[in-house]
Amino acid sequence: MHTETEENYLKAIYHLSAKRAEPVNTSSIAGSLSTTSASVTDMLKKLAEKNLIEYERYRGVRITRKGEKIAINIVRKHRLWEVFLTQTLKFRWDEVHSMAEELEHVSSDELIKRLEEYLGFPRFDPHGDPIPDLTGKISAPSSLCLASGECEKRYTLTGVNDHSVSFLQYLERTGLKPGITVRILEIQEYDHSMLIELKNKIKLSISNDVAKNILVKNYGE
Amino acid sequence: MHTETEENYLKAIYHLSAKRAEPVNTSSIAGSLSTTSASVTDMLKKLAEKNLIEYERYRGVRITRKGEKIAINIVRKHRLWEVFLTQTLKFRWDEVHSMAEELEHVSSDELIKRLEEYLGFPRFDPHGDPIPDLTGKISAPSSLCLASGECEKRYTLTGVNDHSVSFLQYLERTGLKPGITVRILEIQEYDHSMLIELKNKIKLSISNDVAKNILVKNYGE
DNA sequence: TCATATTTTTAGACTAATCTAAATTATTTT
DNA sequence: AAAATAATTTAGATTAGTCTAAAAATATGA
């Protein structure tokens, strides 16, 4: 197989590719892996040699089908372990990322198949991100964000755009967990902040920045 | 923390120490890790530097308290993952060792605490080996082996001495899994092989070699 | 005890992944 | 379009873990 490091590079490149159509550049990879551009360059040569990426000096990188398959499998493992950690071991959703980061590399495909079955074939992880199936197919995640919601309507939280621990902990503290339902009471004209009501009648004001990072579906859908 | 390699060396030294009182020699460590004596010597220096072992050139190795604590924690993780794999994911007991070998290194102590709780604080792994608790305390494993059983008596299987995949698969095929009860029908004088009866009335003849590697407790105890 | 065999250690080299600093290429600005 | 700036790559070194082959120490045994 591949080394853990190679897997981490492929995963980073895969995630960065998803955000933009252009090739991924060296420094953004270095940024997301907290390493230097020089180290990235070295690794890119190695990955290109193995046909896992297409790489042209000074021109950035695209992931190949072969590389993408590996990356998606890592993402699949990561997200299934996240479900296990929250659902079975009762961790909070803001605690599981770093543990899943370790577990994603160690597990045989057979182990993951059994885990998926045990968990009941979940389609989304605790942050609302879709879990690729065995063949690499990925359901469309919710694309509706709370910021584009309308007054007086109800929405069910399904996920987040910002996966940072600080954002997740903010949501956790305010009670905005995936699965809960909110109603929009008011939207302020000047800063687009909104007043929302939770199930337990608690009212909460959230900034537009926050609302843009919360994914929802229409209540009852 | 320590590298995965260091952890594997400590675990190997710990297990080899358990079998004999004398210091562990270089070549037996090399043997159990499938590496060369030269590599072992290099690593022993490093571990001694960190006070995880006591090492004197040409004289072999003893594990220190500090090193033993780490080794026991790895063993604890390994055995809890084995319980998870058999109990929760329904793997056979002869399949779980190599998966647990990977999982034992990745898991944070908090994850393992939760896993232990989820599994119901099991005291033994699927092979009958005791699971160290959080403080490193280890229950005494069964020391009675089937070979020293008496005619007409019933015994419950609790574990094995030989952990090789081939032995475990032999037991699996013949139905001799931990937890089941057997009755000794006959013991042959000349080779000490024994005829035993399983719950479902199936009669089975096993060699003394096999009987010596099966751990039991008296039925009903 | 002295020679032989075995075990262990050292010496020197290799690979994977990383780094800093210097050189090169690309991009932006004037 | 040349100069300045930014990004990327190369060069050379480092660390962890490993190896083979040679040297040194220990154990065996006639």
Side-chain angles (χ1 to χ4, degrees):
Chain A
M1 274 301 277
H2 315 91
T3 66
E4 191 166 322
T5 309
E6 283 177 346
E7 291 183 346
N8 282 332
Y9 271 92
L10 287 173
K11 191 176 50 148
I13 295 166
Y14 171 75
H15 280 135
L16 290 167
S17 302
K19 289 179 191 157
R20 58 197 91 199
E22 313 100 66
V24 178
N25 58 354
T26 303
S27 51
S28 59
I29 299 169
S32 77
L33 292 175
S34 302
T35 183
T36 62
S37 292
S39 304
V40 173
T41 300
D42 285 346
M43 181 58 87
L44 294 184
K45 288 179 196 164
K46 209 187 302 181
L47 294 174
E49 195 57 46
K50 297 185 180 181
N51 293 310
L52 301 171
I53 58 171
E54 281 171 38
Y55 168 57
E56 211 181 332
R57 275 156 72 257
Y58 296 101
R59 282 280 130 80
V61 153
R62 281 179 205 279
I63 198 159
T64 62
R65 267 264 166 276
K66 193 176 161 193
E68 196 184 44
K69 266 187 75 171
I70 295 166
I72 288 175
N73 196 229
I74 304 289
V75 169
R76 168 174 155 79
K77 291 177 179 183
H78 182 100
R79 293 181 180 165
L80 283 167
W81 278 116
E82 285 198 343
V83 174
F84 170 75
L85 292 170
T86 51
Q87 187 172 304
T88 308
L89 298 192
K90 312 298 179 196
F91 280 100
R92 293 195 316 268
W93 68 330
D94 57 286
E95 296 178 309
V96 297
H97 182 79
S98 61
M99 285 182 267
E101 202 89 296
E102 289 192 73
L103 288 163
E104 69 190 12
H105 299 290
V106 301
S107 38
S108 75
D109 286 351
E110 178 61 23
L111 167 48
I112 283 298
K113 265 169 72 179
R114 299 265 187 133
L115 186 65
E116 182 182 33
E117 188 184 349
Y118 167 71
L119 296 170
F121 297 94
R123 296 186 47 233
F124 298 93
D125 79 9
H127 312 103
D129 298 310
I131 298 173
D133 73 11
L134 245 176
T135 70
K137 214 166 64 186
I138 307 177
S139 333
S142 172
S143 56
L144 184 65
C145 77
L146 186 56
S148 53
E150 290 166 40
C151 235
E152 281 308 314
K153 284 200 174 165
R154 287 172 193 279
Y155 299 94
T156 303
L157 303 211
T158 60
V160 292
N161 279 327
D162 178 355
H163 291 72
S164 70
V165 170
S166 60
F167 183 62
L168 297 180
Q169 286 183 347
Y170 162 75
L171 296 181
E172 178 73 23
R173 278 198 304 276
T174 53
L176 292 168
K177 299 182 205 184
I180 74 147
T181 296
V182 302
R183 188 162 64 100
I184 300 178
L185 301 178
E186 286 174 33
I187 301 177
Q188 301 301 328
E189 284 294 332
Y190 65 100
D191 69 347
H192 301 99
S193 70
M194 43 177 64
L195 187 68
I196 60 177
E197 186 185 65
L198 310 192
K199 252 186 181 162
N200 47 13
K201 302 282 176 206
I202 286 176
K203 286 176 185 133
L204 189 66
S205 169
I206 60 176
S207 71
N208 183 249
D209 260 7
V210 166
K212 279 197 284 198
N213 281 315
I214 295 177
L215 295 170
V216 296
K217 59 179 181 188
N218 292 308
Y219 180 63
E221 259 183 21
Chain B
M1 271 301 276
H2 314 90
T3 66
E4 190 166 324
T5 309
E6 284 177 345
E7 291 183 345
N8 282 333
Y9 273 91
L10 287 174
K11 190 176 53 150
I13 295 166
Y14 172 75
H15 280 134
L16 290 166
S17 302
K19 288 179 192 156
R20 57 198 91 198
E22 314 99 67
V24 179
N25 59 349
T26 303
S27 52
S28 60
I29 298 170
S32 75
L33 291 174
S34 302
T35 184
T36 61
S37 292
S39 303
V40 173
T41 301
D42 285 347
M43 182 57 88
L44 294 184
K45 287 178 195 163
K46 210 188 298 180
L47 294 174
E49 196 57 47
K50 297 184 180 182
N51 292 313
L52 301 171
I53 57 170
E54 280 170 39
Y55 168 56
E56 209 181 332
R57 274 154 77 257
Y58 296 101
R59 283 280 129 79
V61 153
R62 282 177 204 280
I63 199 160
T64 63
R65 266 266 166 278
K66 193 176 163 195
E68 195 184 45
K69 266 186 76 170
I70 294 165
I72 288 175
N73 196 230
I74 304 289
V75 169
R76 167 174 155 81
K77 291 178 179 183
H78 182 100
R79 294 182 179 165
L80 282 167
W81 279 116
E82 285 199 342
V83 173
F84 170 75
L85 292 170
T86 51
Q87 186 171 305
T88 308
L89 298 191
K90 313 297 179 195
F91 280 101
R92 294 196 315 270
W93 68 328
D94 57 288
E95 297 177 309
V96 297
H97 183 76
S98 61
M99 285 183 268
E101 203 90 294
E102 289 192 72
L103 288 162
E104 70 190 13
H105 299 289
V106 302
S107 37
S108 75
D109 286 350
E110 178 61 22
L111 167 48
I112 283 298
K113 264 169 73 179
R114 299 266 187 132
L115 185 66
E116 182 181 34
E117 188 183 348
Y118 168 70
L119 296 170
F121 296 94
R123 296 187 46 232
F124 297 93
D125 78 10
H127 312 104
D129 299 311
I131 297 172
D133 72 11
L134 244 175
T135 70
K137 213 164 65 185
I138 307 176
S139 334
S142 171
S143 56
L144 185 64
C145 78
L146 185 57
S148 54
E150 291 167 38
C151 234
E152 283 307 316
K153 284 201 176 165
R154 288 173 191 279
Y155 299 94
T156 304
L157 302 211
T158 60
V160 293
N161 279 326
D162 178 355
H163 290 72
S164 71
V165 170
S166 60
F167 183 61
L168 297 179
Q169 286 184 345
Y170 161 76
L171 296 182
E172 178 74 21
R173 278 198 305 277
T174 53
L176 291 168
K177 297 183 206 183
I180 73 148
T181 296
V182 301
R183 188 162 65 98
I184 300 178
L185 300 178
E186 284 175 34
I187 302 176
Q188 300 302 328
E189 283 296 331
Y190 65 100
D191 68 348
H192 300 98
S193 71
M194 44 175 66
L195 187 68
I196 59 176
E197 186 185 67
L198 310 192
K199 252 186 182 166
N200 48 10
K201 301 282 176 208
I202 286 176
K203 285 176 184 132
L204 189 67
S205 171
I206 59 176
S207 70
N208 183 249
D209 260 6
V210 167
K212 279 197 283 198
N213 280 314
I214 296 177
L215 295 170
V216 296
K217 60 179 180 187
N218 292 307
Y219 179 63
E221 257 182 19

